């Protein structure tokens, strides 16, 4: 029991430190992303803190597995570096026994993270999307980016070349007013300032030195170009109050497993309905039309043939058959696209279902690989172990992200895409643990043993090539 407490105690401080550092890096990246869009646009501090709190949830879902890997690496690396692993082995304590409490804690963290990913993470994502939508309605100018087309305004699209970070003045403005069914109105201006009117219901753009380009709705040949030195452009239906609206629609990242399974079952039902519908519509009149064409040819093979009512009937029937064939091909193509879309929809949601479990199980997998890597770092120092852990972590996320893209394109199954990284890292970890348990590498790490084997094989190949051809 003392050994269990001692080993677990060695993991607490590295885990908390790694969790703080990794989460802090995610936070810095997030702040850089939203700094211009949210923080510098005059939003209340409470709204900014709420946005931060809701987004830190997905950061924790990524940083917890990483912190488990780093904690195992640092804890076992320190025990190995201080020769405590050697002392325990001399006392008859195997490395697997030392790892047993950490493996049990890894299983517990995996279960908690699966529940976290299934219940807390989707709700936080949903609330975050609702809040950002409310912010876009309250402060739509907060989402105006230089060099990007802004489409948040109702009936208006806006392009800005540059934004003064101090005064907020817009430069190089292009406005496309698309309300109604007629041609759009284009407004060009050198600069503009922003203000609210009608108690925040209207956003006023104070344009300077620009032109209006319009086309008469009733007569498109009439084109107008009107220059101005100053003009106010009103964007209506903009609310300056922060009003939250419940969103009934949820994306796959905003759903727990139960809701995603309902969507998958609905997509499977739609696929079966499309297939059943296509069976009755692909060949409606094709057989009947073909029965009208008698013989192998509708025109006699001799040159002295006459145009009779019989031959005309065959010509019309063949024309109808050709039209029906083209219609059938279009129906087949359209049906295939509909079925493919439903299958992609199923794959997309299956990927998210398996991802919630695979990322949770990653905590246990990282214990399998982190502990042996930490013990192997005794000769090369902690830096060597960290390099190994980064390599395995990058391999894990490359397999996960690449597998997700392949599964969404129906190239591989969602199960394989989401679990292949756990299988690879877990297999390597089990091999390392088995080698430690059997103690067969005699002071050489498994990676070092592999390198030595490769070097020996390479030397044999070079020695064989250097021998003369007639040498027995």
């Amino acid at each position: 029991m003392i050994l269990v407490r001692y080993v677990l105690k060695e993991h607490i401080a590295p885990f908390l430190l790694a969790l703080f550092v990794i989460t802090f890096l995610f936070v810095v990246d997030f702040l850089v992303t939203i700094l211009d869009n949210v923080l510098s646009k005059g939003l209340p501090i409470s709204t900014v803190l709420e946005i931060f709190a809701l987004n830190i949830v997905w950061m924790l879902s990524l940083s917890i597995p990483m912190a488990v890997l780093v904690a195992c690496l640092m804890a076992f690396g320190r025990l190995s570096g201080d020769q405590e692993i050697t002392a325990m082995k001399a006392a008859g304590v195997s490395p697997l026994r030392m790892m047993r409490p950490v493996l049990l804690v890894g299983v517990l963290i995996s279960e908690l993270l699966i529940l976290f990913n299934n219940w807390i993470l989707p709700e936080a994502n949903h609330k975050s999307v609702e809040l950002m939508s409310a912010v876009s309605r309250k402060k739509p100018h907060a989402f105006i980016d230089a060099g990007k087309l802004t489409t948040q305004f109702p009936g208006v699209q806006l392009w800005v070349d540059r934004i003064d970070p101090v005064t907020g003045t817009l430069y190089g403005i292009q406005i496309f007013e698309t309300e109604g069914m007629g041609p759009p109105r284009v407004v060009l201006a050198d600069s503009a300032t922003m203000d609210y009117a009608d108690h925040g219901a209207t956003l006023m753009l104070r344009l300077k030195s620009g032109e209006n380009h319009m086309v008469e709705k009733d007569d498109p040949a009439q084109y107008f170009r009107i220059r101005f030195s100053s003009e106010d452009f009103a964007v209506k239906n903009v609310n300056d109050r922060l009003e939250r609206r419940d969103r009934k629609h949820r994306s796959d990242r905003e759903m727990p497993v139960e809701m995603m399974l309902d969507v998958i079952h609905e997509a499977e039902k739609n696929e079966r309905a499309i297939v059943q519908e296509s069976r009755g519509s692909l060949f409606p009149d094709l057989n009947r039309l073909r029965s009208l064409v008698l013989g192998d040819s509708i025109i006699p093979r001799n040159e002295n043939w006459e145009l009779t009512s019989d031959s005309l009937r065959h010509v019309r029937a063949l024309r109808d058959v050709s039209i029906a064939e083209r219609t059938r091909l279009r129906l087949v193509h359209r049906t295939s696209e509909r079925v493919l879309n439903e299958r992609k929809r199923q794959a997309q949601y299956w990927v998210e279902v398996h991802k919630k479990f695979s990322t949770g199980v990653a905590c246990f997998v990282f214990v399998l690989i982190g502990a042996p890597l930490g013990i192997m770092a005794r000769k090369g120092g902690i830096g060597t172990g960290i390099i190994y852990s980064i390599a395995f972590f990058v391999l894990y996320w490359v397999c996960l992200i690449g597998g997700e893209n392949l599964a969404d394109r129906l190239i591989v199954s969602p199960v394989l895409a989401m679990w292949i990284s756990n299988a690879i890292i877990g297999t390597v970890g089990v091999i390392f643990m088995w080698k430690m348990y059997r103690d067969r590498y005699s002071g050489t790490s498994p990676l070092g043993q592999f390198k030595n084997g490769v070097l020996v094989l390479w030397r044999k190949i070079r020695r064989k090539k250097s021998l003369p051809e007639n040498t027995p």
Side-chain angles (χ1 to χ4, degrees):
M1 194 64 184
I2 297 176
L3 178 63
V4 172
R5 290 199 302 266
Y6 180 72
V7 173
L8 292 179
K9 182 180 177 181
E10 290 295 319
H11 284 76
I12 294 176
F15 175 78
L16 295 178
L17 177 62
L19 184 64
F20 173 78
V21 172
I22 296 171
T23 306
F24 177 75
L25 295 177
F26 281 122
V27 169
V28 170
D29 180 71
F30 177 73
L31 291 178
V32 170
T33 302
I34 69 168
L35 187 62
D36 291 333
N37 292 337
V38 176
L39 300 181
S40 62
K41 301 298 182 179
L43 291 174
I45 187 64
S46 60
T47 303
V48 176
L49 291 177
E50 187 174 359
I51 293 173
F52 172 78
L54 291 173
N55 282 273
I56 204 172
V57 175
W58 65 261
M59 301 178 193
L60 289 175
S61 67
L62 297 177
S63 59
I64 288 176
M66 299 171 65
V68 170
L69 176 61
V70 176
C72 291
L73 169 72
M74 295 181 64
F76 282 100
R78 193 203 68 78
L79 292 174
S80 179
D82 292 347
Q83 302 300 322
E84 294 185 36
I85 298 291
T86 305
M88 292 180 185
K89 290 170 66 177
V93 179
S94 66
L96 185 59
R97 183 180 173 184
M98 289 182 283
M99 292 175 56
R100 191 177 302 162
V102 184
L103 290 173
L104 294 177
V105 173
V107 172
L108 177 62
I109 296 177
S110 296
E111 293 178 353
L112 294 177
L113 188 59
I114 290 173
L115 297 177
F116 181 86
N117 291 339
N118 188 45
W119 294 108
I120 300 178
L121 179 61
E123 286 300 320
N125 291 338
H126 183 65
K127 295 296 182 183
S128 177
V129 173
E130 284 185 345
L131 179 57
M132 296 303 289
S133 299
V135 170
S136 66
R137 291 190 299 269
K138 179 183 183 297
K139 297 283 186 181
H141 66 272
F143 295 91
I144 299 178
D145 289 332
K148 294 182 180 179
L149 186 65
T150 303
T151 59
Q152 277 81 6
F153 302 123
V156 174
Q157 296 182 0
L158 177 65
W159 175 274
V160 177
D161 290 338
R162 183 172 61 89
I163 302 177
D164 192 320
V166 178
T167 63
T169 304
L170 312 179
Y171 294 95
I173 300 102
Q174 301 179 35
I175 302 174
F176 306 91
E177 189 176 19
T178 56
E179 288 188 355
M181 299 299 295
R185 170 193 174 195
V186 180
V187 182
L188 308 177
D190 292 340
S191 62
T193 56
M194 293 177 290
D195 194 10
Y196 284 94
D198 299 333
H199 304 286
T202 302
L203 176 65
M204 299 298 299
L205 297 175
R206 314 289 184 179
L207 304 174
K208 302 292 183 182
S209 303
E211 298 177 346
N212 284 296
H213 297 263
M214 297 175 290
V215 176
E216 183 66 31
K217 294 182 180 180
D218 299 330
D219 186 7
Q222 297 295 326
Y223 175 80
F224 299 94
R225 177 184 177 188
I226 304 174
R227 296 180 179 177
F228 60 85
S229 59
S230 63
E231 180 178 283
D232 292 343
F233 187 91
V235 181
K236 300 180 180 179
N237 299 324
V238 174
N239 198 342
D240 194 41
R241 294 172 296 177
L242 187 63
E243 294 184 354
R244 306 194 184 197
R245 303 173 185 174
D246 293 333
R247 292 174 62 254
K248 295 183 179 180
H249 171 73
R250 288 175 178 246
S251 65
D252 53 355
R253 299 180 186 272
E254 302 172 45
M255 293 183 181
V257 171
E258 293 78 7
M259 295 180 66
M260 287 192 289
L261 290 178
D262 292 338
V263 176
I264 291 172
H265 295 329
E266 180 185 357
E268 292 175 347
K269 183 179 178 181
N270 292 340
E271 181 184 350
R272 290 193 297 267
I274 292 171
V275 174
Q276 188 67 27
E277 177 188 351
S278 65
R279 290 176 180 174
S281 61
L282 287 178
F283 310 97
D285 298 322
L286 193 58
N287 293 329
R288 181 183 63 83
L289 292 172
R290 279 176 174 166
S291 65
L292 297 177
V293 182
L294 303 176
D296 296 333
S297 176
I298 63 171
I299 300 177
R301 294 186 179 278
N302 55 40
E303 297 181 358
N304 300 322
W305 64 276
E306 295 181 359
L307 189 63
T308 62
S309 59
D310 238 10
S311 62
L312 285 176
R313 182 170 60 87
H314 284 295
V315 169
R316 295 191 187 98
L318 189 61
R319 180 199 60 189
D320 293 340
V321 169
S322 178
I323 294 174
E325 285 283 4
R326 290 196 297 269
T327 303
R328 183 183 67 85
L329 291 176
R330 287 196 296 268
L331 286 173
V332 169
H333 180 68
R334 187 166 58 192
T335 301
S336 300
E337 286 185 344
R338 292 173 63 190
V339 171
L340 184 63
N341 289 335
E342 293 298 332
R343 289 180 179 175
K344 286 184 176 180
R345 187 183 178 196
Q346 296 173 38
Q348 175 187 354
Y349 282 89
W350 272 124
V351 164
E352 291 299 322
V353 169
H354 287 285
K355 186 191 292 185
K356 293 182 183 297
F357 292 94
S358 65
T359 53
V361 175
C363 295
F364 177 75
V365 173
F366 285 156
V367 172
L368 291 179
I369 196 66
L373 284 174
I375 295 175
M376 288 188 297
R378 64 188 182 276
K379 287 190 175 182
I382 296 298
T384 303
I386 290 179
I387 293 175
Y388 290 155
S389 67
I390 291 175
F392 279 102
F393 188 78
V394 170
L395 173 64
Y396 178 86
W397 286 108
V398 166
C399 292
L400 193 70
I401 296 173
E404 181 177 358
N405 293 331
L406 294 177
D408 289 340
R409 295 159 55 189
L410 301 180
I411 298 177
V412 299
S413 67
V415 177
L416 178 63
M418 291 295 99
W419 290 97
I420 186 63
S421 53
N422 284 339
I424 295 175
I425 304 298
T427 302
V428 176
V430 169
I431 293 174
F432 285 179
M433 288 177 58
W434 179 79
K435 285 185 175 292
M436 285 193 308
Y437 177 74
R438 299 297 298 269
D439 198 20
R440 288 185 175 180
Y441 49 88
S442 303
T444 303
S445 68
L447 289 180
Q449 190 179 29
F450 176 75
K451 292 178 183 178
N452 294 335
V454 172
L455 290 175
V456 171
L457 180 62
W458 175 249
R459 290 182 186 134
K460 289 182 179 179
I461 294 174
R462 292 192 60 183
R463 188 181 301 112
K464 186 175 181 180
K465 288 183 177 181
S466 63
L467 292 176
E469 295 185 357
N470 297 327
T471 301

mmCIF file of all heavy atoms in Angstrom, residues 243-271:
data_model
loop_
_atom_site.group_PDB
_atom_site.id
_atom_site.type_symbol
_atom_site.label_atom_id
_atom_site.label_comp_id
_atom_site.label_asym_id
_atom_site.label_seq_id
_atom_site.Cartn_x
_atom_site.Cartn_y
_atom_site.Cartn_z
ATOM 1 N N GLU A 243 -29.500 39.200 -26.764
ATOM 2 C CA GLU A 243 -30.672 38.340 -26.641
ATOM 3 C C GLU A 243 -30.307 36.928 -27.082
ATOM 4 O O GLU A 243 -29.948 36.711 -28.234
ATOM 5 C CB GLU A 243 -31.826 38.877 -27.500
ATOM 6 C CG GLU A 243 -32.370 40.212 -27.019
ATOM 7 C CD GLU A 243 -33.559 40.656 -27.845
ATOM 8 O OE1 GLU A 243 -33.870 39.970 -28.845
ATOM 9 O OE2 GLU A 243 -34.171 41.672 -27.494
ATOM 10 N N ARG A 244 -30.447 36.000 -26.181
ATOM 11 C CA ARG A 244 -30.125 34.614 -26.487
ATOM 12 C C ARG A 244 -31.374 33.897 -26.960
ATOM 13 O O ARG A 244 -32.447 34.053 -26.386
ATOM 14 C CB ARG A 244 -29.535 33.910 -25.272
ATOM 15 C CG ARG A 244 -28.343 34.632 -24.690
ATOM 16 C CD ARG A 244 -27.602 33.751 -23.734
ATOM 17 N NE ARG A 244 -26.511 34.488 -23.110
ATOM 18 C CZ ARG A 244 -25.495 33.920 -22.491
ATOM 19 N NH1 ARG A 244 -25.418 32.609 -22.433
ATOM 20 N NH2 ARG A 244 -24.549 34.642 -21.942
ATOM 21 N N ARG A 245 -31.196 33.114 -27.991
ATOM 22 C CA ARG A 245 -32.298 32.333 -28.534
ATOM 23 C C ARG A 245 -31.913 30.861 -28.514
ATOM 24 O O ARG A 245 -30.802 30.490 -28.860
ATOM 25 C CB ARG A 245 -32.612 32.770 -29.978
ATOM 26 C CG ARG A 245 -32.944 34.262 -30.094
ATOM 27 C CD ARG A 245 -33.081 34.653 -31.548
ATOM 28 N NE ARG A 245 -33.278 36.087 -31.693
ATOM 29 C CZ ARG A 245 -33.308 36.720 -32.868
ATOM 30 N NH1 ARG A 245 -33.135 36.029 -33.983
ATOM 31 N NH2 ARG A 245 -33.506 38.021 -32.914
ATOM 32 N N ASP A 246 -32.878 30.048 -28.124
ATOM 33 C CA ASP A 246 -32.631 28.605 -28.087
ATOM 34 C C ASP A 246 -32.532 28.060 -29.502
ATOM 35 O O ASP A 246 -33.412 28.292 -30.341
ATOM 36 C CB ASP A 246 -33.757 27.896 -27.334
ATOM 37 C CG ASP A 246 -33.767 28.258 -25.855
ATOM 38 O OD1 ASP A 246 -32.681 28.603 -25.341
ATOM 39 O OD2 ASP A 246 -34.840 28.202 -25.235
ATOM 40 N N ARG A 247 -31.442 27.374 -29.766
ATOM 41 C CA ARG A 247 -31.249 26.745 -31.072
ATOM 42 C C ARG A 247 -31.705 25.296 -30.992
ATOM 43 O O ARG A 247 -31.183 24.502 -30.219
ATOM 44 C CB ARG A 247 -29.771 26.787 -31.483
ATOM 45 C CG ARG A 247 -29.255 28.167 -31.769
ATOM 46 C CD ARG A 247 -27.758 28.153 -32.022
ATOM 47 N NE ARG A 247 -27.391 27.357 -33.186
ATOM 48 C CZ ARG A 247 -26.812 26.167 -33.129
ATOM 49 N NH1 ARG A 247 -26.563 25.608 -31.963
ATOM 50 N NH2 ARG A 247 -26.481 25.514 -34.239
ATOM 51 N N LYS A 248 -32.694 24.969 -31.819
ATOM 52 C CA LYS A 248 -33.155 23.580 -31.858
ATOM 53 C C LYS A 248 -32.190 22.705 -32.645
ATOM 54 O O LYS A 248 -32.056 21.520 -32.364
ATOM 55 C CB LYS A 248 -34.556 23.516 -32.465
ATOM 56 C CG LYS A 248 -35.613 24.226 -31.616
ATOM 57 C CD LYS A 248 -36.991 24.072 -32.237
ATOM 58 C CE LYS A 248 -38.041 24.756 -31.378
ATOM 59 N NZ LYS A 248 -39.403 24.628 -31.956
ATOM 60 N N HIS A 249 -31.541 23.301 -33.630
ATOM 61 C CA HIS A 249 -30.605 22.521 -34.439
ATOM 62 C C HIS A 249 -29.285 22.350 -33.693
ATOM 63 O O HIS A 249 -28.769 23.279 -33.077
ATOM 64 C CB HIS A 249 -30.353 23.209 -35.777
ATOM 65 C CG HIS A 249 -29.250 22.581 -36.567
ATOM 66 N ND1 HIS A 249 -29.400 21.365 -37.205
ATOM 67 C CD2 HIS A 249 -27.974 22.993 -36.812
ATOM 68 C CE1 HIS A 249 -28.268 21.053 -37.807
ATOM 69 N NE2 HIS A 249 -27.389 22.025 -37.591
ATOM 70 N N ARG A 250 -28.743 21.154 -33.747
ATOM 71 C CA ARG A 250 -27.445 20.856 -33.153
ATOM 72 C C ARG A 250 -26.583 20.157 -34.183
ATOM 73 O O ARG A 250 -27.066 19.276 -34.915
ATOM 74 C CB ARG A 250 -27.593 19.952 -31.919
ATOM 75 C CG ARG A 250 -28.178 20.631 -30.681
ATOM 76 C CD ARG A 250 -28.380 19.620 -29.581
ATOM 77 N NE ARG A 250 -28.883 20.238 -28.366
ATOM 78 C CZ ARG A 250 -28.216 20.319 -27.228
ATOM 79 N NH1 ARG A 250 -26.998 19.800 -27.146
ATOM 80 N NH2 ARG A 250 -28.739 20.882 -26.166
ATOM 81 N N SER A 251 -25.321 20.515 -34.216
ATOM 82 C CA SER A 251 -24.380 19.816 -35.081
ATOM 83 C C SER A 251 -23.905 18.548 -34.381
ATOM 84 O O SER A 251 -24.255 18.273 -33.229
ATOM 85 C CB SER A 251 -23.204 20.722 -35.429
ATOM 86 O OG SER A 251 -22.453 21.025 -34.260
ATOM 87 N N ASP A 252 -23.082 17.758 -35.070
ATOM 88 C CA ASP A 252 -22.623 16.500 -34.486
ATOM 89 C C ASP A 252 -21.767 16.722 -33.247
ATOM 90 O O ASP A 252 -21.749 15.887 -32.337
ATOM 91 C CB ASP A 252 -21.851 15.684 -35.526
ATOM 92 C CG ASP A 252 -20.730 16.498 -36.174
ATOM 93 O OD1 ASP A 252 -20.633 17.706 -35.884
ATOM 94 O OD2 ASP A 252 -19.966 15.938 -36.975
ATOM 95 N N ARG A 253 -21.066 17.838 -33.160
ATOM 96 C CA ARG A 253 -20.220 18.119 -32.004
ATOM 97 C C ARG A 253 -21.015 18.684 -30.832
ATOM 98 O O ARG A 253 -20.448 18.958 -29.775
ATOM 99 C CB ARG A 253 -19.098 19.082 -32.375
ATOM 100 C CG ARG A 253 -18.180 18.525 -33.459
ATOM 101 C CD ARG A 253 -17.071 19.490 -33.811
ATOM 102 N NE ARG A 253 -16.296 19.013 -34.939
ATOM 103 C CZ ARG A 253 -15.241 18.206 -34.843
ATOM 104 N NH1 ARG A 253 -14.839 17.807 -33.659
ATOM 105 N NH2 ARG A 253 -14.583 17.808 -35.925
ATOM 106 N N GLU A 254 -22.319 18.891 -31.021
ATOM 107 C CA GLU A 254 -23.173 19.411 -29.959
ATOM 108 C C GLU A 254 -24.148 18.355 -29.460
ATOM 109 O O GLU A 254 -25.101 18.679 -28.755
ATOM 110 C CB GLU A 254 -23.955 20.623 -30.461
ATOM 111 C CG GLU A 254 -23.088 21.766 -30.970
ATOM 112 C CD GLU A 254 -23.900 22.846 -31.637
ATOM 113 O OE1 GLU A 254 -24.941 23.238 -31.078
ATOM 114 O OE2 GLU A 254 -23.526 23.297 -32.736
ATOM 115 N N MET A 255 -23.935 17.102 -29.815
ATOM 116 C CA MET A 255 -24.867 16.036 -29.459
ATOM 117 C C MET A 255 -24.178 14.986 -28.598
ATOM 118 O O MET A 255 -23.032 14.631 -28.858
ATOM 119 C CB MET A 255 -25.403 15.343 -30.718
ATOM 120 C CG MET A 255 -26.282 16.192 -31.596
ATOM 121 S SD MET A 255 -26.885 15.205 -32.986
ATOM 122 C CE MET A 255 -27.855 16.448 -33.853
ATOM 123 N N PRO A 256 -24.893 14.438 -27.606
ATOM 124 C CA PRO A 256 -24.390 13.233 -26.933
ATOM 125 C C PRO A 256 -24.602 12.011 -27.821
ATOM 126 O O PRO A 256 -25.201 12.087 -28.898
ATOM 127 C CB PRO A 256 -25.252 13.178 -25.664
ATOM 128 C CG PRO A 256 -26.498 13.904 -26.013
ATOM 129 C CD PRO A 256 -26.106 14.974 -26.986
ATOM 130 N N VAL A 257 -24.136 10.885 -27.356
ATOM 131 C CA VAL A 257 -24.197 9.671 -28.165
ATOM 132 C C VAL A 257 -25.640 9.296 -28.486
ATOM 133 O O VAL A 257 -25.952 8.880 -29.612
ATOM 134 C CB VAL A 257 -23.492 8.515 -27.422
ATOM 135 C CG1 VAL A 257 -23.725 7.185 -28.132
ATOM 136 C CG2 VAL A 257 -21.998 8.795 -27.317
ATOM 137 N N GLU A 258 -26.536 9.453 -27.523
ATOM 138 C CA GLU A 258 -27.919 9.047 -27.742
ATOM 139 C C GLU A 258 -28.553 9.821 -28.890
ATOM 140 O O GLU A 258 -29.247 9.240 -29.740
ATOM 141 C CB GLU A 258 -28.734 9.252 -26.455
ATOM 142 C CG GLU A 258 -28.341 8.334 -25.312
ATOM 143 C CD GLU A 258 -27.077 8.779 -24.612
ATOM 144 O OE1 GLU A 258 -26.573 9.877 -24.940
ATOM 145 O OE2 GLU A 258 -26.572 8.026 -23.747
ATOM 146 N N MET A 259 -28.340 11.125 -28.943
ATOM 147 C CA MET A 259 -28.908 11.935 -30.016
ATOM 148 C C MET A 259 -28.275 11.587 -31.360
ATOM 149 O O MET A 259 -28.958 11.553 -32.396
ATOM 150 C CB MET A 259 -28.728 13.421 -29.700
ATOM 151 C CG MET A 259 -29.488 13.893 -28.482
ATOM 152 S SD MET A 259 -29.232 15.655 -28.141
ATOM 153 C CE MET A 259 -29.998 16.393 -29.571
ATOM 154 N N MET A 260 -26.969 11.317 -31.371
ATOM 155 C CA MET A 260 -26.318 10.964 -32.632
ATOM 156 C C MET A 260 -26.796 9.613 -33.155
ATOM 157 O O MET A 260 -26.943 9.422 -34.369
ATOM 158 C CB MET A 260 -24.795 10.968 -32.454
ATOM 159 C CG MET A 260 -24.211 12.359 -32.329
ATOM 160 S SD MET A 260 -22.418 12.389 -32.456
ATOM 161 C CE MET A 260 -21.973 11.633 -30.897
ATOM 162 N N LEU A 261 -27.068 8.671 -32.249
ATOM 163 C CA LEU A 261 -27.600 7.386 -32.691
ATOM 164 C C LEU A 261 -28.982 7.545 -33.322
ATOM 165 O O LEU A 261 -29.315 6.845 -34.293
ATOM 166 C CB LEU A 261 -27.661 6.420 -31.513
ATOM 167 C CG LEU A 261 -26.318 5.912 -30.972
ATOM 168 C CD1 LEU A 261 -26.532 4.998 -29.777
ATOM 169 C CD2 LEU A 261 -25.520 5.197 -32.063
ATOM 170 N N ASP A 262 -29.785 8.472 -32.796
ATOM 171 C CA ASP A 262 -31.090 8.738 -33.419
ATOM 172 C C ASP A 262 -30.919 9.278 -34.834
ATOM 173 O O ASP A 262 -31.662 8.897 -35.756
ATOM 174 C CB ASP A 262 -31.873 9.739 -32.569
ATOM 175 C CG ASP A 262 -32.303 9.147 -31.230
ATOM 176 O OD1 ASP A 262 -32.364 7.903 -31.133
ATOM 177 O OD2 ASP A 262 -32.564 9.920 -30.286
ATOM 178 N N VAL A 263 -29.946 10.170 -35.018
ATOM 179 C CA VAL A 263 -29.688 10.709 -36.354
ATOM 180 C C VAL A 263 -29.207 9.613 -37.298
ATOM 181 O O VAL A 263 -29.603 9.545 -38.469
ATOM 182 C CB VAL A 263 -28.656 11.857 -36.280
ATOM 183 C CG1 VAL A 263 -28.302 12.352 -37.675
ATOM 184 C CG2 VAL A 263 -29.199 13.007 -35.442
ATOM 185 N N ILE A 264 -28.364 8.708 -36.789
ATOM 186 C CA ILE A 264 -27.854 7.607 -37.617
ATOM 187 C C ILE A 264 -28.995 6.684 -38.047
ATOM 188 O O ILE A 264 -29.082 6.283 -39.215
ATOM 189 C CB ILE A 264 -26.772 6.836 -36.843
ATOM 190 C CG1 ILE A 264 -25.524 7.709 -36.668
ATOM 191 C CG2 ILE A 264 -26.403 5.544 -37.572
ATOM 192 C CD1 ILE A 264 -24.476 7.108 -35.749
ATOM 193 N N HIS A 265 -29.874 6.367 -37.104
ATOM 194 C CA HIS A 265 -31.010 5.501 -37.448
ATOM 195 C C HIS A 265 -31.926 6.180 -38.465
ATOM 196 O O HIS A 265 -32.466 5.524 -39.368
ATOM 197 C CB HIS A 265 -31.790 5.143 -36.188
ATOM 198 C CG HIS A 265 -31.015 4.317 -35.210
ATOM 199 N ND1 HIS A 265 -30.044 3.413 -35.612
ATOM 200 C CD2 HIS A 265 -31.045 4.251 -33.848
ATOM 201 C CE1 HIS A 265 -29.519 2.824 -34.550
ATOM 202 N NE2 HIS A 265 -30.099 3.317 -33.470
ATOM 203 N N GLU A 266 -32.100 7.483 -38.330
ATOM 204 C CA GLU A 266 -32.914 8.222 -39.305
ATOM 205 C C GLU A 266 -32.276 8.186 -40.688
ATOM 206 O O GLU A 266 -32.966 8.017 -41.708
ATOM 207 C CB GLU A 266 -33.099 9.663 -38.839
ATOM 208 C CG GLU A 266 -33.939 10.507 -39.787
ATOM 209 C CD GLU A 266 -34.000 11.966 -39.372
ATOM 210 O OE1 GLU A 266 -33.439 12.306 -38.308
ATOM 211 O OE2 GLU A 266 -34.599 12.763 -40.106
ATOM 212 N N ALA A 267 -30.939 8.352 -40.743
ATOM 213 C CA ALA A 267 -30.246 8.296 -42.033
ATOM 214 C C ALA A 267 -30.341 6.902 -42.651
ATOM 215 O O ALA A 267 -30.505 6.767 -43.871
ATOM 216 C CB ALA A 267 -28.786 8.708 -41.850
ATOM 217 N N GLU A 268 -30.232 5.858 -41.829
ATOM 218 C CA GLU A 268 -30.382 4.498 -42.355
ATOM 219 C C GLU A 268 -31.791 4.269 -42.895
ATOM 220 O O GLU A 268 -31.971 3.630 -43.943
ATOM 221 C CB GLU A 268 -30.073 3.491 -41.248
ATOM 222 C CG GLU A 268 -28.603 3.486 -40.815
ATOM 223 C CD GLU A 268 -28.371 2.567 -39.630
ATOM 224 O OE1 GLU A 268 -29.373 2.136 -39.011
ATOM 225 O OE2 GLU A 268 -27.197 2.284 -39.328
ATOM 226 N N LYS A 269 -32.788 4.794 -42.190
ATOM 227 C CA LYS A 269 -34.169 4.676 -42.662
ATOM 228 C C LYS A 269 -34.367 5.418 -43.974
ATOM 229 O O LYS A 269 -35.038 4.917 -44.895
ATOM 230 C CB LYS A 269 -35.112 5.216 -41.585
ATOM 231 C CG LYS A 269 -36.581 5.079 -41.927
ATOM 232 C CD LYS A 269 -37.450 5.623 -40.794
ATOM 233 C CE LYS A 269 -38.936 5.531 -41.147
ATOM 234 N NZ LYS A 269 -39.787 6.085 -40.046
ATOM 235 N N ASN A 270 -33.778 6.607 -44.085
ATOM 236 C CA ASN A 270 -33.880 7.371 -45.330
ATOM 237 C C ASN A 270 -33.202 6.630 -46.483
ATOM 238 O O ASN A 270 -33.704 6.633 -47.619
ATOM 239 C CB ASN A 270 -33.254 8.753 -45.157
ATOM 240 C CG ASN A 270 -34.040 9.626 -44.206
ATOM 241 O OD1 ASN A 270 -35.215 9.375 -43.944
ATOM 242 N ND2 ASN A 270 -33.395 10.643 -43.661
ATOM 243 N N GLU A 271 -32.061 6.004 -46.208
ATOM 244 C CA GLU A 271 -31.365 5.261 -47.255
ATOM 245 C C GLU A 271 -32.218 4.098 -47.773
ATOM 246 O O GLU A 271 -32.324 3.878 -48.991
ATOM 247 C CB GLU A 271 -30.038 4.741 -46.717
ATOM 248 C CG GLU A 271 -29.225 3.964 -47.745
ATOM 249 C CD GLU A 271 -27.966 3.373 -47.161
ATOM 250 O OE1 GLU A 271 -27.627 3.731 -46.013
ATOM 251 O OE2 GLU A 271 -27.322 2.558 -47.846
#
